[in-house]
Amino acid sequence: MKKTHLLLAIMIMAFSLPATAQWSIGASGGYALNFYEYDPQYMVGMDYKAHHGFEAGFPVKYQFNDWLALSSGGTLQQKGYVLHGSYVPVGFQEPFAFYPKLIRNDYYVCIPAMAEFVFGNEKWKGVIGLGGYAGLWSGSVFAYKEILSIKYSIDRRYIYKSVKLNRGVDRRLEFGLAAELGMQRSLGRHLSLLFLAKCHYALTPQQLDYQIQHFPSRNTTVSAQIGIMYHFNNQ
């Protein structure tokens, strides 16, 4: 019953929106940096580093009035990490130490939903957005190489391997909080440039709780983007 009342309230609000409301759609893209939160525990000598990537998508916005809007859309987001390590095989000394390096690229299709607060004048507008997102894991690629250090230096080429979803271990869906801060520059009646800084903070771990002693890993992705928006109605 509560769900029915909530749906009815949403429908009433949708049909009672003022005629000055505005739909906008666009395209954006830019640089992304993913921070991988993981507790290595017994994995001595292993160090997870932030991984560079990209983010591209098509934002969709519905502006209710001069100061409030609802934004969503679809985004392809590259996440992952760089794993550095070092170990010495049993019976060997330091000149035979191995320094593995593994790069993991995770690709997610994300759908954010945020309330945007807009301020400024006709040419320049500031945007502050708060909300959440849902991400669908669409695939991963490993790039791995091993360096035999010091006296016998051998730098191997990267070995690339695609990763398939393990239904007993991996979590396909990711949910989290989303925030954005940006500026919008009007280019006329229907077009505007968009400059955005975004942050996606995952609340769900990448893997299922499949072990007795499980250490969850999470992604935090920040990005800087530039885009263009087309406005269907001019308020």
Side-chain angles (χ1 to χ4, degrees):
M1 183 65 68
K2 290 183 178 180
K3 291 183 178 179
T4 305
H5 289 165
L6 179 61
L7 181 60
L8 182 60
I10 293 174
M11 291 177 65
I12 293 173
M13 290 177 62
F15 285 108
S16 62
L17 290 173
T20 55
Q22 181 185 67
W23 279 102
S24 302
I25 190 170
S28 65
Y31 169 79
L33 182 64
N34 188 74
F35 298 91
Y36 187 71
E37 179 188 342
Y38 183 80
D39 188 352
Q41 294 293 319
Y42 59 86
M43 297 175 64
V44 179
M46 297 297 178
D47 187 18
Y48 289 89
K49 301 289 188 182
H51 185 38
H52 306 278
F54 70 90
E55 184 172 336
F58 58 94
V60 177
K61 182 184 297 188
Y62 191 90
Q63 188 153 344
F64 298 97
N65 49 44
D66 291 337
W67 60 272
L68 181 63
L70 178 66
S71 69
S72 186
T75 300
L76 177 62
Q77 198 172 69
Q78 181 183 356
K79 304 187 180 188
Y81 56 80
V82 179
L83 175 60
H84 292 276
S86 64
Y87 64 91
V88 181
V90 177
F92 287 84
Q93 296 179 350
E94 178 62 26
F96 291 92
F98 290 94
Y99 292 85
K101 182 178 181 181
L102 184 145
I103 300 175
R104 174 168 175 149
N105 297 304
D106 297 320
Y107 300 97
Y108 282 82
V109 177
C110 298
I111 300 177
M114 286 186 286
E116 286 188 352
F117 302 94
V118 184
F119 56 93
N121 53 43
E122 291 185 2
K123 287 191 174 294
W124 286 98
K125 293 183 184 293
V127 177
I128 299 175
L130 295 172
Y133 76 95
L136 176 67
W137 180 82
S138 60
S140 298
V141 176
F142 279 113
Y144 176 84
K145 74 175 178 179
E146 201 168 61
I147 302 172
L148 182 61
S149 69
I150 309 178
K151 188 175 180 180
Y152 305 98
S153 180
I154 300 175
D155 190 353
R156 299 181 180 179
R157 293 183 177 180
Y158 279 106
I159 299 172
Y160 293 90
K161 182 181 179 181
S162 60
V163 181
K164 294 182 179 180
L165 179 75
N166 186 336
R167 295 186 181 275
V169 175
D170 299 318
R171 189 187 301 271
R172 182 178 288 275
L173 292 176
E174 181 180 271
F175 298 95
L177 303 176
E180 67 179 18
L181 178 65
M183 296 291 293
Q184 187 170 300
R185 173 65 163 87
S186 176
L187 298 179
R189 181 180 173 85
H190 293 291
L191 291 176
S192 63
L193 280 177
L194 193 63
F195 306 92
L196 281 179
K198 289 186 175 183
C199 178
H200 282 183
Y201 177 78
L203 298 176
T204 53
Q206 269 197 316
Q207 295 181 327
L208 301 170
D209 191 6
Y210 66 98
Q211 293 176 320
I212 296 176
Q213 191 176 14
H214 180 68
F215 308 106
S217 56
R218 293 182 176 86
N219 293 305
T220 299
T221 310
V222 294
S223 63
Q225 299 181 49
I226 185 172
I228 190 166
M229 299 293 293
Y230 179 85
H231 311 289
F232 289 97
N233 296 312
N234 191 43
Q235 295 184 9

